[in-house]
Amino acid sequence: MSTEFGFLAQVHRTFDRAAALTDCCDGLLAQIRECNSVYRVTFPLKRDDGTIEVIQAWRAEHSQHKLPTKGGIRFSTGVTEDEVMALAALMTYKCSVVDVPFGGAKGGVRIDRKEYSADELERITRRYTYELIKKRFIGPGIDVPAPDYGTGPSEMAWIVDTYKSMSNGEQNAEACVTGKPIEQEGIRGRLDATGRGVFYGIREACSSAEDMKKLGLSPGLKDKRVVVQGLGNVGYHAARHLADGGAVLVGLAEWEGAIANPNGLDLDDVMKHRKETGSILGFPGATDLPHTTDALELDCDILVPAALENQITAENASRIQARIIGEAANGPTTADADEILLERGVRVLPDLYLNAGGVTVSYFEWLKNLSHVRFGRMEKRFDEAAHRSLLEEIGRATGVDVSSTEIPDLGADEEDLVHSGLEETMVVAYHQIRDIEKSLGIDDLRTASFVTAIKKIAISYQELGIFP
Ligand code: NAD
């Protein structure tokens, strides 16, 4: 078995495995695989105590076959050029899998956000945005960032404000970034979109009696034992929706360690405990595990790594007990580990499909910003009235008095439409990659997802031709 390399090499390895199953020519495959542009920048930060620190940052645009390019911005000490390029490539394939008409990009700033005050984080974010503007690495039709590990709505608000300050009245300036607060033209349903998408994807995978039988599991999510690693934006919301959908959270992990209880953990009580004590450890009734990676090996049906890459490796893959791995994080499974899991018949729901809910709803936010109107604003009341009169008609025909019946939600508002669009996207994409998997005669959804993506991108390149 080959040894593990950097993150980008791992993405390339999976790409090559999938590419061999397509009939695309080598030159086209090479063009799809390469990262088109990488911008590396350093800039000074004046710290609150007056000292000066040099900050390193990147933005990679993997493919411009569709514009704008799209991808989150990560604040982490682990950020490297290799990581940003790998994540940008995954974004290209992810957008393609869920039919979001963007190329892939990713940004990273090498900092530990816990080490900086809110003012310092604002200065870093604004200066980083300025550097992107200077080199035309941001803009509604060019490259549109979003939140990722270590960033959230506040950073996105600083980005849009900086962009607007410098864009001299550009009409669609709000569409330069997604994941913004609602008051800054963000969209309802973006905050939990990735976690919600993870839930829809896992639920869909579990609904197939045939697939579950192969894994020795019963169909449906109910009572499935789940372990989640990382309780940030993606992990927390995925865990919450899975629990609401009937699954039992038997293990939870954060960077400080993990906790387990085969009878189930109440997520919100755990979060409250962490807020009060600074740690998930010591939660009443649960067993403490000293290392976050211990959680990965717990006895469970579904394992959801939702923190960072390279968590399931050749070293621990053979000890994973879960029958299903739902990759909520990007790149949590190394390529070597992936091969071990495949041999062991573990079902891996790959990152480029499973965590695509974030970019899907980001796409909806971008559309909202370009149209300058909230989804549902024009039709909600109209639909409500139409549905009510239909109901009254049925009441008259059946002799049932419905006039005093209080029926809420007869018309869809923005959040309903976002949830519906996200659910439709995740369900349709799941069946697309599952069908490709079947047609290839393989048991490997990651390869099937890459094949799906490569084929769609190849068509796009072939139709566009080569300039000049
Ligand atoms: P986040 O910063 O909101 O949360 C990450 C969480 O993981 C934090 O609570 C952190 O304390 C925890 N953590 C860090 N190191 C850990 C470790 N070693 N073990 C256990 N927990 C650890 O980040 P996020 O936005 O939730 O992103 C998580 C993953 O999901 C990343 O891989 C990111 O690229 C991916 N992702 C995020 C989005 C999005 O919309 N935010 C979309 C797609 C993919």
Side-chain angles (χ1 to χ4, degrees), residues 74-75 87 91 94 106 113-114 146-151 190-191 193-195 229-236 253-257 274 292-293 305-309 311 328-332 351 355-359:
R74 174 175 284 207
F75 284 1
L87 290 165
M91 281 305 295
K94 190 180 299 187
K106 203 77 179 191
R113 63 169 299 137
K114 293 196 288 295
D148 191 68
Y149 184 93
T151 59
R190 174 61 183 89
L191 195 64
T194 309
Q229 182 203 37
L231 300 172
N233 178 294
V234 177
Y236 168 77
E254 256 293 334
W255 59 269
E256 66 268 19
R274 187 171 196 237
T292 177
T293 44
L308 279 173
E309 54 264 24
Q311 297 300 300
N330 282 310
D351 48 5
N355 68 30
V359 74

Side-chain angles (χ1 to χ4, degrees), residues 56-125:
Q56 282 184 290
W58 288 263
R59 183 80 184 165
E61 291 173 355
H62 173 260
S63 175
Q64 283 102 347
H65 73 289
K66 292 201 187 280
L67 285 172
T69 54
K70 186 102 188 69
I73 294 173
R74 174 175 284 207
F75 284 1
S76 158
T77 48
V79 168
T80 61
E81 192 158 313
D82 178 88
E83 180 187 75
V84 172
M85 287 166 75
L87 290 165
L90 278 178
M91 281 305 295
T92 295
Y93 310 132
K94 190 180 299 187
C95 290
S96 175
V97 162
V98 289
D99 288 326
V100 164
F102 296 143
K106 203 77 179 191
V109 182
R110 189 185 286 167
I111 56 163
D112 177 355
R113 63 169 299 137
K114 293 196 288 295
E115 302 292 321
Y116 298 88
S117 69
D119 283 349
E120 288 170 337
L121 287 173
E122 179 172 349
R123 289 201 288 281
I124 292 169
T125 308

Side-chain angles (χ1 to χ4, degrees), residues 3 114 149 153 196 294 307 359 379 383 424 463:
T3 47
K114 293 196 288 295
Y149 184 93
R196 183 181 278 274
D294 294 339
V359 74
E379 63 272 43
D383 287 348
E424 164 73 4
E463 286 174 353

